[in-house]
């Protein structure tokens, strides 16, 4: 067991080191830095403009700190009803109520963007190595399962580094646009939501890399990843419709657990136990879909 873990770790570290040496890791980090910093800059600008309008329209007291007016609106019943409808769950609403609006908006956008960026930078890694013949170097030294796990963990490490740098860039924007004190105060929340978004993206990484085992073309692997995201978006509504409208199919509603979106709300909760449940669920999905792809690879010539 220890020997297998050591081999998996060696593949993962090599995957990360190759990404650094080829400057792919630098490109990915700059991409996340630009996206995170750009999103936060846009959010601060939008909230500043929105609050100016609210102050003028509702005769609210003005404030020098962007977000403080919106924080006051948490006491408004129409505003809270709107946010509760957006949250989609009374439990999630109760946990996010009162949090800084800029951080919540940033969290939502990071949750949406992280899987897309993961698709862009990691979906082709296995297919590219199979096509180029680079996989053969490892497959005479480790098992195919160990190679697949190492590849995914190496990509996960690179994504974690890039998203961490992106989070620091986003907080630097807060310091520059608002005040250094605001940046320091909001940094733990920004990092917290970034880690949660990384966990969500990790499930998608397992799906994308599992699909990458099925083909030898990076373009085809990316296309399969796009189809997977579109299919996942339609999966839950389809199951809900079947469960509600077709007699005897109520059980199909439980199949929504097969897509990462089913654990989305768990990562938005404050309870560590509930968040841990979401983390375990998403990690299980990542390893499940990677294992399915690796099972196909075991039957193929490389």
């Amino acid at each position: 067991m220890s020997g297998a873990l050591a081999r998996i770790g060696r593949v993962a570290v090599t995957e990360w080191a190759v990404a650094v040496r080829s400057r792919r890791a630098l490109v990915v980090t700059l991409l996340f830095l630009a996206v995170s910093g750009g999103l936060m800059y846009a959010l601060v600008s939008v909230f500043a403009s929105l609050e100016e309008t609210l102050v003028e329209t509702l005769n609210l007291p003005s404030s020098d700190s962007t977000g403080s007016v919106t924080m006051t609106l948490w006491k408004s019943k129409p505003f809270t009803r709107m946010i509760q409808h957006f949250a989609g769950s009374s439990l999630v609403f109760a946990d996010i109520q009162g949090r800084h609006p800029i951080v919540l908006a940033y969290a939502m956008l990071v949750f949406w963007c992280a899987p897309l960026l993961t698709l862009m930078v990691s979906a082709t890694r296995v297919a590219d190595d199979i096509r180029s013949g680079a996989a053969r170097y490892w497959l005479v030294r480790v098992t195919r399962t160990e190679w697949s796990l190492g590849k995914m963990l190496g990509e996960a490490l690179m994504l974690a580094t890039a998203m961490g740098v992106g989070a620091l860039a986003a907080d630097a924007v807060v310091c520059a646009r608002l005040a250094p004190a605001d940046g320091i105060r909001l940094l733990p929340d920004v990092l917290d939501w970034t880690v949660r978004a990384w966990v969500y993206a990790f499930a998608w990484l397992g799906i994308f890399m599992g699909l990458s085992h099925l083909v030898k073309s990076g373009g085809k692997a990316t296309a399969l990843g796009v189809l997977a995201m579109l299919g996942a978006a339609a999966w839950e509504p389809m199951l809900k419709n079947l469960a509600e409208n077709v007699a005897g199919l109520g059980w199909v509603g439980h199949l929504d657990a097969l897509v990462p979106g089913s654990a989305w709300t768990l990562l938005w909760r404050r309870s560590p136990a509930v968040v841990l449940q979401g983390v375990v669920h998403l990690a299980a999905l990542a390893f499940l879909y990677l294992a399915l792809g690796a099972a196909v690879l075991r039957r193929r010539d490389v």
Side-chain angles (χ1 to χ4, degrees), residues 67-297:
S68 58
V69 173
T70 312
M71 290 292 286
T72 302
L73 284 178
W74 277 114
K75 301 176 183 178
S76 166
K77 290 185 178 179
F79 180 77
T80 54
R81 282 198 297 267
M82 179 183 69
I83 298 299
Q84 186 170 13
H85 176 74
F86 176 76
S89 166
S90 59
L91 295 175
V92 172
F93 171 74
D95 283 348
I96 67 175
Q97 188 174 16
R99 293 198 175 191
H100 199 287
I102 290 179
V103 172
L104 289 179
Y106 174 77
M108 176 62 70
L109 291 175
V110 169
F111 265 80
W112 278 105
C113 290
L116 292 173
L117 293 173
T118 302
L119 172 66
M120 291 173 57
V121 302
S122 298
T124 66
R125 293 301 300 151
V126 173
D128 286 342
D129 279 7
I130 293 174
R131 182 177 184 180
S132 67
R136 296 173 186 170
Y137 170 84
W138 280 110
L139 294 181
V140 297
R141 294 167 172 82
V142 300
T143 68
R144 298 191 179 198
T145 300
E146 292 167 350
W147 178 71
S148 298
L149 283 170
K151 292 284 288 186
M152 184 179 74
L153 295 178
E155 289 297 307
L157 176 61
M158 184 187 67
L159 290 172
T161 303
M163 291 181 70
V165 172
L168 295 177
D171 194 71
V173 171
V174 174
C175 292
R177 291 295 308 277
L178 300 182
D182 289 324
I184 295 173
R185 178 168 56 86
L186 296 180
L187 179 59
D189 285 339
V190 171
L191 293 175
D192 178 34
W193 288 114
T194 300
V195 171
R196 296 181 190 219
W198 175 81
V199 172
Y200 184 64
F202 181 73
W204 282 107
L205 177 64
I207 293 173
F208 297 146
M209 297 198 74
L211 291 171
S212 190
H213 285 72
L214 308 181
V215 294
K216 293 184 178 181
S217 164
K220 291 180 180 179
T222 301
L224 288 175
V226 172
L227 291 175
M229 295 193 75
L230 294 175
W235 183 251
E236 185 174 358
M238 181 186 69
L239 293 180
K240 183 177 180 181
N241 182 64
L242 288 174
E244 292 178 353
N245 299 313
V246 180
L249 288 182
W251 58 271
V252 301
H254 299 293
L255 296 179
D256 67 342
L258 294 174
V259 295
S262 62
W264 170 291
T265 57
L266 298 177
L267 295 181
W268 283 76
R269 301 291 303 281
R270 286 192 180 182
S271 169
V274 177
V275 174
L276 179 60
Q277 180 184 347
V279 171
V280 172
H281 185 166
L282 291 167
L285 287 180
F287 290 115
L288 169 65
Y289 288 112
L290 181 75
L292 292 176
V296 174
L297 181 65

Side-chain angles (χ1 to χ4, degrees), residues 35-78:
V35 170
S36 297
L39 286 176
M40 185 61 82
Y41 185 92
L43 286 172
V44 173
S45 300
V46 168
F47 271 96
S49 176
L50 175 63
E51 292 190 352
E52 289 179 5
T53 303
L54 290 174
V55 168
E56 294 177 0
T57 304
L58 303 178
N59 291 322
L60 295 173
S62 61
S63 173
D64 294 332
S65 178
T66 300
S68 58
V69 173
T70 312
M71 290 292 286
T72 302
L73 284 178
W74 277 114
K75 301 176 183 178
S76 166
K77 290 185 178 179

Side-chain angles (χ1 to χ4, degrees), residues 13-29:
V13 171
T14 302
E15 176 73 8
W16 183 82
V18 168
V20 172
R21 189 164 57 248
S22 65
R23 298 185 181 179
R24 190 172 70 89
L26 176 62
V27 172
V28 173
T29 300

